[in-house]
mmCIF file of all heavy atoms in Angstrom:
data_model
loop_
_atom_site.group_PDB
_atom_site.id
_atom_site.type_symbol
_atom_site.label_atom_id
_atom_site.label_comp_id
_atom_site.label_asym_id
_atom_site.label_seq_id
_atom_site.Cartn_x
_atom_site.Cartn_y
_atom_site.Cartn_z
ATOM 1 N N ALA A 4 -3.632 -9.800 11.966
ATOM 2 C CA ALA A 4 -2.496 -9.093 11.363
ATOM 3 C C ALA A 4 -2.953 -7.835 10.642
ATOM 4 O O ALA A 4 -2.329 -6.770 10.760
ATOM 5 C CB ALA A 4 -1.757 -10.022 10.398
ATOM 6 N N MET A 5 -4.052 -7.912 9.894
ATOM 7 C CA MET A 5 -4.582 -6.740 9.206
ATOM 8 C C MET A 5 -4.986 -5.653 10.198
ATOM 9 O O MET A 5 -4.776 -4.462 9.963
ATOM 10 C CB MET A 5 -5.785 -7.132 8.346
ATOM 11 C CG MET A 5 -5.450 -7.872 7.069
ATOM 12 S SD MET A 5 -6.942 -8.233 6.117
ATOM 13 C CE MET A 5 -7.461 -6.567 5.651
ATOM 14 N N SER A 6 -5.582 -6.072 11.309
ATOM 15 C CA SER A 6 -6.035 -5.105 12.320
ATOM 16 C C SER A 6 -4.869 -4.304 12.879
ATOM 17 O O SER A 6 -4.922 -3.071 12.971
ATOM 18 C CB SER A 6 -6.756 -5.843 13.462
ATOM 19 O OG SER A 6 -7.918 -6.492 13.003
ATOM 20 N N TYR A 7 -3.802 -5.007 13.255
ATOM 21 C CA TYR A 7 -2.631 -4.313 13.783
ATOM 22 C C TYR A 7 -1.989 -3.426 12.721
ATOM 23 O O TYR A 7 -1.562 -2.301 13.009
ATOM 24 C CB TYR A 7 -1.610 -5.327 14.291
ATOM 25 C CG TYR A 7 -1.932 -5.895 15.649
ATOM 26 C CD1 TYR A 7 -2.143 -7.257 15.827
ATOM 27 C CD2 TYR A 7 -2.008 -5.079 16.771
ATOM 28 C CE1 TYR A 7 -2.420 -7.789 17.080
ATOM 29 C CE2 TYR A 7 -2.294 -5.587 18.026
ATOM 30 C CZ TYR A 7 -2.506 -6.947 18.169
ATOM 31 O OH TYR A 7 -2.783 -7.461 19.411
ATOM 32 N N ALA A 8 -1.914 -3.913 11.484
ATOM 33 C CA ALA A 8 -1.309 -3.113 10.414
ATOM 34 C C ALA A 8 -2.092 -1.825 10.201
ATOM 35 O O ALA A 8 -1.509 -0.737 10.051
ATOM 36 C CB ALA A 8 -1.249 -3.927 9.122
ATOM 37 N N LEU A 9 -3.415 -1.915 10.192
ATOM 38 C CA LEU A 9 -4.239 -0.721 10.004
ATOM 39 C C LEU A 9 -4.073 0.255 11.164
ATOM 40 O O LEU A 9 -4.058 1.476 10.978
ATOM 41 C CB LEU A 9 -5.710 -1.114 9.837
ATOM 42 C CG LEU A 9 -6.057 -1.779 8.502
ATOM 43 C CD1 LEU A 9 -7.463 -2.378 8.546
ATOM 44 C CD2 LEU A 9 -5.948 -0.775 7.351
ATOM 45 N N TYR A 10 -3.936 -0.279 12.366
ATOM 46 C CA TYR A 10 -3.709 0.591 13.519
ATOM 47 C C TYR A 10 -2.404 1.362 13.356
ATOM 48 O O TYR A 10 -2.363 2.592 13.542
ATOM 49 C CB TYR A 10 -3.676 -0.226 14.815
ATOM 50 C CG TYR A 10 -3.090 0.533 15.982
ATOM 51 C CD1 TYR A 10 -3.847 1.485 16.668
ATOM 52 C CD2 TYR A 10 -1.765 0.339 16.367
ATOM 53 C CE1 TYR A 10 -3.302 2.210 17.732
ATOM 54 C CE2 TYR A 10 -1.214 1.050 17.425
ATOM 55 C CZ TYR A 10 -1.984 1.985 18.105
ATOM 56 O OH TYR A 10 -1.444 2.701 19.140
ATOM 57 N N PHE A 11 -1.311 0.657 13.030
ATOM 58 C CA PHE A 11 -0.018 1.331 12.903
ATOM 59 C C PHE A 11 -0.002 2.304 11.726
ATOM 60 O O PHE A 11 0.624 3.365 11.805
ATOM 61 C CB PHE A 11 1.096 0.295 12.757
ATOM 62 C CG PHE A 11 1.424 -0.413 14.036
ATOM 63 C CD1 PHE A 11 1.263 -1.786 14.155
ATOM 64 C CD2 PHE A 11 1.880 0.296 15.138
ATOM 65 C CE1 PHE A 11 1.556 -2.439 15.340
ATOM 66 C CE2 PHE A 11 2.171 -0.347 16.334
ATOM 67 C CZ PHE A 11 2.009 -1.720 16.427
ATOM 68 N N ILE A 12 -0.686 1.969 10.650
ATOM 69 C CA ILE A 12 -0.784 2.880 9.512
ATOM 70 C C ILE A 12 -1.566 4.133 9.908
ATOM 71 O O ILE A 12 -1.201 5.258 9.541
ATOM 72 C CB ILE A 12 -1.450 2.169 8.313
ATOM 73 C CG1 ILE A 12 -0.496 1.112 7.733
ATOM 74 C CG2 ILE A 12 -1.836 3.163 7.223
ATOM 75 C CD1 ILE A 12 -1.134 0.202 6.705
ATOM 76 N N ALA A 13 -2.626 3.935 10.666
ATOM 77 C CA ALA A 13 -3.418 5.079 11.131
ATOM 78 C C ALA A 13 -2.636 5.924 12.125
ATOM 79 O O ALA A 13 -2.774 7.153 12.169
ATOM 80 C CB ALA A 13 -4.720 4.581 11.771
ATOM 81 N N LYS A 14 -1.802 5.285 12.922
ATOM 82 C CA LYS A 14 -1.028 5.964 13.958
ATOM 83 C C LYS A 14 0.096 6.800 13.356
ATOM 84 O O LYS A 14 0.549 7.776 13.969
ATOM 85 C CB LYS A 14 -0.443 4.898 14.902
ATOM 86 C CG LYS A 14 0.276 5.430 16.121
ATOM 87 C CD LYS A 14 -0.692 5.918 17.172
ATOM 88 C CE LYS A 14 0.041 6.322 18.442
ATOM 89 N NZ LYS A 14 -0.866 6.968 19.409
ATOM 90 N N ASN A 15 0.524 6.445 12.155
ATOM 91 C CA ASN A 15 1.666 7.111 11.524
ATOM 92 C C ASN A 15 1.247 7.688 10.170
ATOM 93 O O ASN A 15 1.371 7.001 9.141
ATOM 94 C CB ASN A 15 2.810 6.116 11.342
ATOM 95 C CG ASN A 15 3.327 5.568 12.665
ATOM 96 O OD1 ASN A 15 4.171 6.181 13.309
ATOM 97 N ND2 ASN A 15 2.836 4.406 13.062
ATOM 98 N N PRO A 16 0.761 8.929 10.132
ATOM 99 C CA PRO A 16 0.247 9.524 8.888
ATOM 100 C C PRO A 16 1.251 9.528 7.742
ATOM 101 O O PRO A 16 0.867 9.350 6.580
ATOM 102 C CB PRO A 16 -0.116 10.954 9.307
ATOM 103 C CG PRO A 16 -0.324 10.887 10.781
ATOM 104 C CD PRO A 16 0.613 9.847 11.277
ATOM 105 N N GLU A 17 2.541 9.711 8.057
ATOM 106 C CA GLU A 17 3.531 9.739 6.987
ATOM 107 C C GLU A 17 3.696 8.358 6.349
ATOM 108 O O GLU A 17 3.893 8.239 5.134
ATOM 109 C CB GLU A 17 4.877 10.257 7.513
ATOM 110 C CG GLU A 17 5.642 9.364 8.465
ATOM 111 C CD GLU A 17 5.035 9.245 9.864
ATOM 112 O OE1 GLU A 17 4.075 9.996 10.182
ATOM 113 O OE2 GLU A 17 5.532 8.413 10.638
ATOM 114 N N ILE A 18 3.586 7.319 7.154
ATOM 115 C CA ILE A 18 3.633 5.950 6.626
ATOM 116 C C ILE A 18 2.385 5.675 5.798
ATOM 117 O O ILE A 18 2.459 5.086 4.718
ATOM 118 C CB ILE A 18 3.780 4.929 7.775
ATOM 119 C CG1 ILE A 18 5.157 5.061 8.430
ATOM 120 C CG2 ILE A 18 3.542 3.504 7.280
ATOM 121 C CD1 ILE A 18 5.362 4.177 9.648
ATOM 122 N N GLN A 19 1.254 6.137 6.294
ATOM 123 C CA GLN A 19 -0.003 5.949 5.566
ATOM 124 C C GLN A 19 0.061 6.583 4.179
ATOM 125 O O GLN A 19 -0.332 5.972 3.178
ATOM 126 C CB GLN A 19 -1.178 6.545 6.352
ATOM 127 C CG GLN A 19 -2.513 6.365 5.679
ATOM 128 C CD GLN A 19 -3.687 6.796 6.538
ATOM 129 O OE1 GLN A 19 -4.816 6.934 6.050
ATOM 130 N NE2 GLN A 19 -3.464 7.016 7.822
ATOM 131 N N GLN A 20 0.581 7.798 4.115
ATOM 132 C CA GLN A 20 0.655 8.489 2.831
ATOM 133 C C GLN A 20 1.633 7.785 1.900
ATOM 134 O O GLN A 20 1.394 7.680 0.683
ATOM 135 C CB GLN A 20 1.064 9.948 3.025
ATOM 136 C CG GLN A 20 0.919 10.800 1.769
ATOM 137 C CD GLN A 20 -0.506 10.804 1.223
ATOM 138 O OE1 GLN A 20 -1.466 11.063 1.954
ATOM 139 N NE2 GLN A 20 -0.663 10.502 -0.052
ATOM 140 N N LYS A 21 2.726 7.294 2.454
ATOM 141 C CA LYS A 21 3.717 6.602 1.635
ATOM 142 C C LYS A 21 3.129 5.315 1.056
ATOM 143 O O LYS A 21 3.375 4.975 -0.114
ATOM 144 C CB LYS A 21 4.963 6.300 2.472
ATOM 145 C CG LYS A 21 6.152 5.838 1.649
ATOM 146 C CD LYS A 21 7.413 5.781 2.499
ATOM 147 C CE LYS A 21 8.612 5.317 1.664
ATOM 148 N NZ LYS A 21 9.860 5.278 2.466
ATOM 149 N N VAL A 22 2.363 4.581 1.858
ATOM 150 C CA VAL A 22 1.691 3.372 1.362
ATOM 151 C C VAL A 22 0.696 3.736 0.266
ATOM 152 O O VAL A 22 0.654 3.100 -0.796
ATOM 153 C CB VAL A 22 0.965 2.625 2.504
ATOM 154 C CG1 VAL A 22 0.095 1.495 1.941
ATOM 155 C CG2 VAL A 22 1.961 2.061 3.510
ATOM 156 N N ARG A 23 -0.101 4.778 0.505
ATOM 157 C CA ARG A 23 -1.112 5.192 -0.476
ATOM 158 C C ARG A 23 -0.460 5.627 -1.789
ATOM 159 O O ARG A 23 -0.945 5.260 -2.877
ATOM 160 C CB ARG A 23 -1.973 6.316 0.101
ATOM 161 C CG ARG A 23 -3.140 6.730 -0.795
ATOM 162 C CD ARG A 23 -4.018 7.772 -0.117
ATOM 163 N NE ARG A 23 -4.643 7.231 1.079
ATOM 164 C CZ ARG A 23 -4.423 7.666 2.313
ATOM 165 N NH1 ARG A 23 -3.576 8.687 2.522
ATOM 166 N NH2 ARG A 23 -5.023 7.119 3.335
ATOM 167 N N ASP A 24 0.601 6.369 -1.698
ATOM 168 C CA ASP A 24 1.302 6.809 -2.912
ATOM 169 C C ASP A 24 1.821 5.609 -3.702
ATOM 170 O O ASP A 24 1.731 5.580 -4.939
ATOM 171 C CB ASP A 24 2.467 7.735 -2.556
ATOM 172 C CG ASP A 24 2.004 9.089 -2.035
ATOM 173 O OD1 ASP A 24 0.814 9.428 -2.242
ATOM 174 O OD2 ASP A 24 2.823 9.798 -1.420
ATOM 175 N N GLU A 25 2.363 4.625 -2.990
ATOM 176 C CA GLU A 25 2.875 3.440 -3.679
ATOM 177 C C GLU A 25 1.744 2.664 -4.342
ATOM 178 O O GLU A 25 1.861 2.258 -5.510
ATOM 179 C CB GLU A 25 3.608 2.530 -2.694
ATOM 180 C CG GLU A 25 4.148 1.265 -3.366
ATOM 181 C CD GLU A 25 4.796 0.308 -2.386
ATOM 182 O OE1 GLU A 25 4.090 -0.205 -1.487
ATOM 183 O OE2 GLU A 25 6.015 0.052 -2.530
ATOM 184 N N VAL A 26 0.646 2.464 -3.618
ATOM 185 C CA VAL A 26 -0.487 1.712 -4.178
ATOM 186 C C VAL A 26 -0.980 2.379 -5.463
ATOM 187 O O VAL A 26 -1.174 1.721 -6.494
ATOM 188 C CB VAL A 26 -1.635 1.600 -3.146
ATOM 189 C CG1 VAL A 26 -2.906 1.043 -3.806
ATOM 190 C CG2 VAL A 26 -1.210 0.725 -1.969
ATOM 191 N N ARG A 27 -1.142 3.671 -5.407
ATOM 192 C CA ARG A 27 -1.681 4.386 -6.571
ATOM 193 C C ARG A 27 -0.685 4.434 -7.712
ATOM 194 O O ARG A 27 -1.075 4.368 -8.893
ATOM 195 C CB ARG A 27 -2.127 5.785 -6.146
ATOM 196 C CG ARG A 27 -3.334 5.737 -5.217
ATOM 197 C CD ARG A 27 -3.796 7.101 -4.778
ATOM 198 N NE ARG A 27 -5.052 6.999 -4.024
ATOM 199 C CZ ARG A 27 -5.703 8.028 -3.515
ATOM 200 N NH1 ARG A 27 -5.221 9.266 -3.660
ATOM 201 N NH2 ARG A 27 -6.835 7.847 -2.863
ATOM 202 N N SER A 28 0.583 4.560 -7.404
ATOM 203 C CA SER A 28 1.601 4.580 -8.444
ATOM 204 C C SER A 28 1.671 3.238 -9.168
ATOM 205 O O SER A 28 1.736 3.171 -10.408
ATOM 206 C CB SER A 28 2.968 4.916 -7.839
ATOM 207 O OG SER A 28 3.988 4.819 -8.792
ATOM 208 N N VAL A 29 1.660 2.145 -8.399
ATOM 209 C CA VAL A 29 1.729 0.810 -9.001
ATOM 210 C C VAL A 29 0.466 0.520 -9.802
ATOM 211 O O VAL A 29 0.521 -0.081 -10.887
ATOM 212 C CB VAL A 29 1.957 -0.252 -7.909
ATOM 213 C CG1 VAL A 29 1.824 -1.656 -8.492
ATOM 214 C CG2 VAL A 29 3.336 -0.079 -7.269
ATOM 215 N N LYS A 30 -0.676 0.944 -9.278
ATOM 216 C CA LYS A 30 -1.945 0.710 -9.988
ATOM 217 C C LYS A 30 -1.928 1.299 -11.403
ATOM 218 O O LYS A 30 -2.479 0.708 -12.336
ATOM 219 C CB LYS A 30 -3.111 1.318 -9.207
ATOM 220 C CG LYS A 30 -3.665 0.449 -8.094
ATOM 221 C CD LYS A 30 -4.778 1.162 -7.345
ATOM 222 C CE LYS A 30 -5.935 1.526 -8.255
ATOM 223 N NZ LYS A 30 -7.020 2.225 -7.533
ATOM 224 N N LYS A 31 -1.306 2.454 -11.551
ATOM 225 C CA LYS A 31 -1.308 3.138 -12.856
ATOM 226 C C LYS A 31 -0.701 2.276 -13.960
ATOM 227 O O LYS A 31 -1.117 2.353 -15.111
ATOM 228 C CB LYS A 31 -0.532 4.454 -12.748
ATOM 229 C CG LYS A 31 -1.307 5.565 -12.053
ATOM 230 C CD LYS A 31 -0.488 6.857 -12.031
ATOM 231 C CE LYS A 31 -1.256 7.971 -11.325
ATOM 232 N NZ LYS A 31 -0.468 9.237 -11.273
ATOM 233 N N SER A 32 0.283 1.468 -13.596
ATOM 234 C CA SER A 32 0.925 0.614 -14.598
ATOM 235 C C SER A 32 0.241 -0.739 -14.744
ATOM 236 O O SER A 32 0.743 -1.625 -15.445
ATOM 237 C CB SER A 32 2.401 0.412 -14.249
ATOM 238 O OG SER A 32 2.542 -0.172 -12.970
ATOM 239 N N HIS A 33 -0.901 -0.903 -14.063
ATOM 240 C CA HIS A 33 -1.656 -2.163 -14.142
ATOM 241 C C HIS A 33 -3.139 -1.884 -14.391
ATOM 242 O O HIS A 33 -4.008 -2.424 -13.694
ATOM 243 C CB HIS A 33 -1.465 -2.976 -12.850
ATOM 244 C CG HIS A 33 -0.084 -3.536 -12.688
ATOM 245 N ND1 HIS A 33 0.293 -4.758 -13.205
ATOM 246 C CD2 HIS A 33 1.030 -3.015 -12.094
ATOM 247 C CE1 HIS A 33 1.565 -4.983 -12.917
ATOM 248 N NE2 HIS A 33 2.032 -3.943 -12.239
ATOM 249 N N ASN A 34 -3.415 -1.036 -15.355
ATOM 250 C CA ASN A 34 -4.797 -0.722 -15.742
ATOM 251 C C ASN A 34 -5.631 -0.223 -14.573
ATOM 252 O O ASN A 34 -6.828 -0.493 -14.487
ATOM 253 C CB ASN A 34 -5.473 -1.951 -16.370
ATOM 254 C CG ASN A 34 -4.783 -2.399 -17.646
ATOM 255 O OD1 ASN A 34 -4.395 -1.570 -18.474
ATOM 256 N ND2 ASN A 34 -4.603 -3.705 -17.796
ATOM 257 N N ASP A 35 -4.944 0.490 -13.664
ATOM 258 C CA ASP A 35 -5.607 1.065 -12.496
ATOM 259 C C ASP A 35 -6.292 -0.004 -11.633
ATOM 260 O O ASP A 35 -7.356 0.213 -11.075
ATOM 261 C CB ASP A 35 -6.621 2.136 -12.915
ATOM 262 C CG ASP A 35 -6.844 3.164 -11.804
ATOM 263 O OD1 ASP A 35 -5.872 3.455 -11.074
ATOM 264 O OD2 ASP A 35 -7.982 3.655 -11.663
ATOM 265 N N GLU A 36 -5.648 -1.171 -11.545
ATOM 266 C CA GLU A 36 -6.182 -2.274 -10.741
ATOM 267 C C GLU A 36 -5.133 -2.761 -9.738
ATOM 268 O O GLU A 36 -3.928 -2.645 -9.975
ATOM 269 C CB GLU A 36 -6.563 -3.463 -11.636
ATOM 270 C CG GLU A 36 -7.718 -3.216 -12.566
ATOM 271 C CD GLU A 36 -7.985 -4.432 -13.440
ATOM 272 O OE1 GLU A 36 -7.145 -5.364 -13.454
ATOM 273 O OE2 GLU A 36 -9.032 -4.442 -14.106
ATOM 274 N N ILE A 37 -5.627 -3.306 -8.645
ATOM 275 C CA ILE A 37 -4.738 -3.995 -7.711
ATOM 276 C C ILE A 37 -4.827 -5.483 -8.061
ATOM 277 O O ILE A 37 -5.598 -6.234 -7.466
ATOM 278 C CB ILE A 37 -5.119 -3.748 -6.240
ATOM 279 C CG1 ILE A 37 -5.166 -2.256 -5.922
ATOM 280 C CG2 ILE A 37 -4.119 -4.444 -5.305
ATOM 281 C CD1 ILE A 37 -5.635 -1.944 -4.504
ATOM 282 N N ASN A 38 -4.065 -5.890 -9.071
ATOM 283 C CA ASN A 38 -4.058 -7.301 -9.428
ATOM 284 C C ASN A 38 -2.874 -8.007 -8.749
ATOM 285 O O ASN A 38 -2.127 -7.400 -7.977
ATOM 286 C CB ASN A 38 -4.022 -7.482 -10.950
ATOM 287 C CG ASN A 38 -2.848 -6.764 -11.597
ATOM 288 O OD1 ASN A 38 -1.767 -6.657 -11.016
ATOM 289 N ND2 ASN A 38 -3.059 -6.245 -12.811
ATOM 290 N N TYR A 39 -2.717 -9.280 -9.043
ATOM 291 C CA TYR A 39 -1.674 -10.073 -8.374
ATOM 292 C C TYR A 39 -0.287 -9.480 -8.611
ATOM 293 O O TYR A 39 0.498 -9.295 -7.670
ATOM 294 C CB TYR A 39 -1.736 -11.520 -8.875
ATOM 295 C CG TYR A 39 -0.709 -12.427 -8.252
ATOM 296 C CD1 TYR A 39 -0.980 -13.096 -7.054
ATOM 297 C CD2 TYR A 39 0.543 -12.621 -8.847
ATOM 298 C CE1 TYR A 39 -0.039 -13.933 -6.477
ATOM 299 C CE2 TYR A 39 1.495 -13.451 -8.268
ATOM 300 C CZ TYR A 39 1.195 -14.101 -7.084
ATOM 301 O OH TYR A 39 2.146 -14.919 -6.507
ATOM 302 N N ASP A 40 0.024 -9.186 -9.874
ATOM 303 C CA ASP A 40 1.356 -8.662 -10.188
ATOM 304 C C ASP A 40 1.592 -7.291 -9.552
ATOM 305 O O ASP A 40 2.705 -6.990 -9.100
ATOM 306 C CB ASP A 40 1.538 -8.572 -11.705
ATOM 307 C CG ASP A 40 1.580 -9.943 -12.363
ATOM 308 O OD1 ASP A 40 2.083 -10.881 -11.718
ATOM 309 O OD2 ASP A 40 1.091 -10.080 -13.506
ATOM 310 N N ALA A 41 0.537 -6.478 -9.519
ATOM 311 C CA ALA A 41 0.659 -5.159 -8.884
ATOM 312 C C ALA A 41 0.994 -5.311 -7.401
ATOM 313 O O ALA A 41 1.860 -4.613 -6.863
ATOM 314 C CB ALA A 41 -0.632 -4.364 -9.066
ATOM 315 N N LEU A 42 0.309 -6.242 -6.750
ATOM 316 C CA LEU A 42 0.532 -6.446 -5.322
ATOM 317 C C LEU A 42 1.972 -6.887 -5.049
ATOM 318 O O LEU A 42 2.583 -6.475 -4.048
ATOM 319 C CB LEU A 42 -0.450 -7.502 -4.802
ATOM 320 C CG LEU A 42 -0.834 -7.440 -3.319
ATOM 321 C CD1 LEU A 42 -1.415 -6.084 -2.954
ATOM 322 C CD2 LEU A 42 -1.808 -8.548 -2.972
ATOM 323 N N MET A 43 2.524 -7.697 -5.942
ATOM 324 C CA MET A 43 3.903 -8.159 -5.785
ATOM 325 C C MET A 43 4.907 -7.010 -5.918
ATOM 326 O O MET A 43 6.043 -7.111 -5.458
ATOM 327 C CB MET A 43 4.228 -9.240 -6.813
ATOM 328 C CG MET A 43 3.435 -10.539 -6.666
ATOM 329 S SD MET A 43 3.622 -11.356 -5.052
ATOM 330 C CE MET A 43 2.067 -10.909 -4.252
ATOM 331 N N GLU A 44 4.491 -5.923 -6.554
ATOM 332 C CA GLU A 44 5.388 -4.777 -6.753
ATOM 333 C C GLU A 44 5.277 -3.737 -5.636
ATOM 334 O O GLU A 44 6.027 -2.754 -5.637
ATOM 335 C CB GLU A 44 5.069 -4.111 -8.093
ATOM 336 C CG GLU A 44 5.395 -4.976 -9.312
ATOM 337 C CD GLU A 44 4.961 -4.327 -10.619
ATOM 338 O OE1 GLU A 44 4.794 -3.078 -10.631
ATOM 339 O OE2 GLU A 44 4.775 -5.040 -11.622
ATOM 340 N N MET A 45 4.371 -3.939 -4.695
ATOM 341 C CA MET A 45 4.181 -2.975 -3.600
ATOM 342 C C MET A 45 5.143 -3.314 -2.465
ATOM 343 O O MET A 45 4.776 -3.895 -1.449
ATOM 344 C CB MET A 45 2.724 -2.974 -3.141
ATOM 345 C CG MET A 45 1.767 -2.502 -4.222
ATOM 346 S SD MET A 45 0.030 -2.550 -3.697
ATOM 347 C CE MET A 45 -0.799 -2.144 -5.235
ATOM 348 N N HIS A 46 6.391 -2.917 -2.645
ATOM 349 C CA HIS A 46 7.451 -3.321 -1.721
ATOM 350 C C HIS A 46 7.344 -2.625 -0.364
ATOM 351 O O HIS A 46 7.637 -3.231 0.672
ATOM 352 C CB HIS A 46 8.818 -3.040 -2.359
ATOM 353 C CG HIS A 46 8.989 -3.706 -3.690
ATOM 354 N ND1 HIS A 46 8.913 -5.072 -3.850
ATOM 355 C CD2 HIS A 46 9.217 -3.193 -4.945
ATOM 356 C CE1 HIS A 46 9.104 -5.387 -5.116
ATOM 357 N NE2 HIS A 46 9.288 -4.263 -5.813
ATOM 358 N N TYR A 47 6.957 -1.355 -0.363
ATOM 359 C CA TYR A 47 6.857 -0.666 0.931
ATOM 360 C C TYR A 47 5.681 -1.217 1.737
ATOM 361 O O TYR A 47 5.784 -1.365 2.960
ATOM 362 C CB TYR A 47 6.700 0.844 0.735
ATOM 363 C CG TYR A 47 6.773 1.606 2.037
ATOM 364 C CD1 TYR A 47 7.974 1.709 2.729
ATOM 365 C CD2 TYR A 47 5.642 2.195 2.590
ATOM 366 C CE1 TYR A 47 8.047 2.387 3.945
ATOM 367 C CE2 TYR A 47 5.703 2.876 3.799
ATOM 368 C CZ TYR A 47 6.911 2.962 4.480
ATOM 369 O OH TYR A 47 6.977 3.628 5.685
ATOM 370 N N LEU A 48 4.580 -1.538 1.063
ATOM 371 C CA LEU A 48 3.457 -2.186 1.750
ATOM 372 C C LEU A 48 3.926 -3.490 2.386
ATOM 373 O O LEU A 48 3.544 -3.811 3.523
ATOM 374 C CB LEU A 48 2.317 -2.452 0.766
ATOM 375 C CG LEU A 48 1.131 -3.265 1.311
ATOM 376 C CD1 LEU A 48 0.425 -2.519 2.438
ATOM 377 C CD2 LEU A 48 0.145 -3.585 0.185
ATOM 378 N N ASN A 49 4.756 -4.228 1.683
ATOM 379 C CA ASN A 49 5.292 -5.477 2.226
ATOM 380 C C ASN A 49 6.139 -5.211 3.466
ATOM 381 O O ASN A 49 6.086 -5.963 4.450
ATOM 382 C CB ASN A 49 6.129 -6.180 1.156
ATOM 383 C CG ASN A 49 6.549 -7.567 1.586
ATOM 384 O OD1 ASN A 49 5.713 -8.418 1.867
ATOM 385 N ND2 ASN A 49 7.847 -7.800 1.644
#
């Protein structure tokens, strides 16, 4: 599943940037970490 997801993210630069922006935005409110609660807030990644 991770392999296919990475392929589609790589294939679609605009989706990749949107995922990256969300990850970094959520991290800021969690001490710059990808912790459990942060991951639950990454809705576009989901």
Side-chain angles (χ1 to χ4, degrees):
M5 285 182 67
S6 297
Y7 281 119
L9 288 169
Y10 165 78
F11 286 118
I12 290 170
K14 186 76 174 172
N15 298 275
E17 70 288 351
I18 292 175
Q19 181 173 167
Q20 191 58 51
K21 192 170 180 179
V22 171
R23 185 176 296 116
D24 290 343
E25 179 184 63
V26 170
R27 292 180 173 180
S28 174
V29 172
K30 277 178 60 180
K31 283 182 180 179
S32 59
H33 290 272
N34 298 318
D35 206 34
E36 293 178 349
I37 304 176
N38 56 34
Y39 180 88
D40 293 327
L42 206 57
M43 295 302 103
E44 293 175 21
M45 296 178 187
H46 304 300
Y47 187 70
L48 174 64
N49 188 59

